[in-house]
Amino acid sequence: MAKQITYGKFLLIECTAGELMNAVGSNICICDWCGKPFLPSDKGVYIAVLNHWYCWDSFLQWYADAEWYPQDVDVERKNFEFYAPRLGVKCQ
Ligand SMILES: [Zn+2]
């Protein structure tokens, strides 16, 4: 079950590869960081500011160095509001 998660100021949705595949109408789900394909039952994180889905290992690597920039907030919010309802997450 997809849900919003909190790491710093980023808008993030934890969801399985399968939930993302349904949301975007894709048959495969590849982590945008490590490039590995994942099973529909594998969990990862949709990162609205990047419009990317990362597996958890990659997400934690990315987050260790990630910085949140106020100028990205508009695109981040737009991506989040597009994906959240498709993933069954309520916008906050
Ligand atoms: Zn990965």
Side-chain angles (χ1 to χ4, degrees):
M1 181 87 185
K3 64 173 192 282
Q4 188 172 0
I5 57 172
T6 304
Y7 277 80
K9 290 183 170 180
F10 293 102
L11 291 175
L12 305 163
I13 300 171
E14 186 201 43
C15 65
T16 63
E19 286 171 318
L20 190 85
M21 286 150 70
N22 286 340
V24 300
S26 168
N27 293 324
I28 49 163
C29 190
I30 290 174
C31 170
D32 289 304
W33 177 281
C34 66
K36 289 186 200 148
F38 284 87
L39 297 172
S41 57
D42 288 328
K43 279 189 177 181
V45 181
Y46 172 73
I47 304 166
V49 72
L50 303 176
N51 197 27
H52 281 172
W53 183 88
Y54 290 174
C55 66
W56 262 107
D57 285 352
S58 296
F59 169 74
L60 293 171
Q61 278 182 45
W62 169 79
Y63 184 73
D65 289 321
E67 277 194 54
W68 186 88
Y69 297 104
Q71 62 265 35
D72 295 334
V73 73
D74 286 350
V75 68
E76 180 179 35
R77 166 79 34 203
K78 210 171 122 228
N79 288 338
F80 183 81
E81 286 176 356
F82 181 84
Y83 276 96
R86 283 165 178 79
L87 291 166
V89 174
K90 287 204 173 79
C91 290
Q92 291 178 353

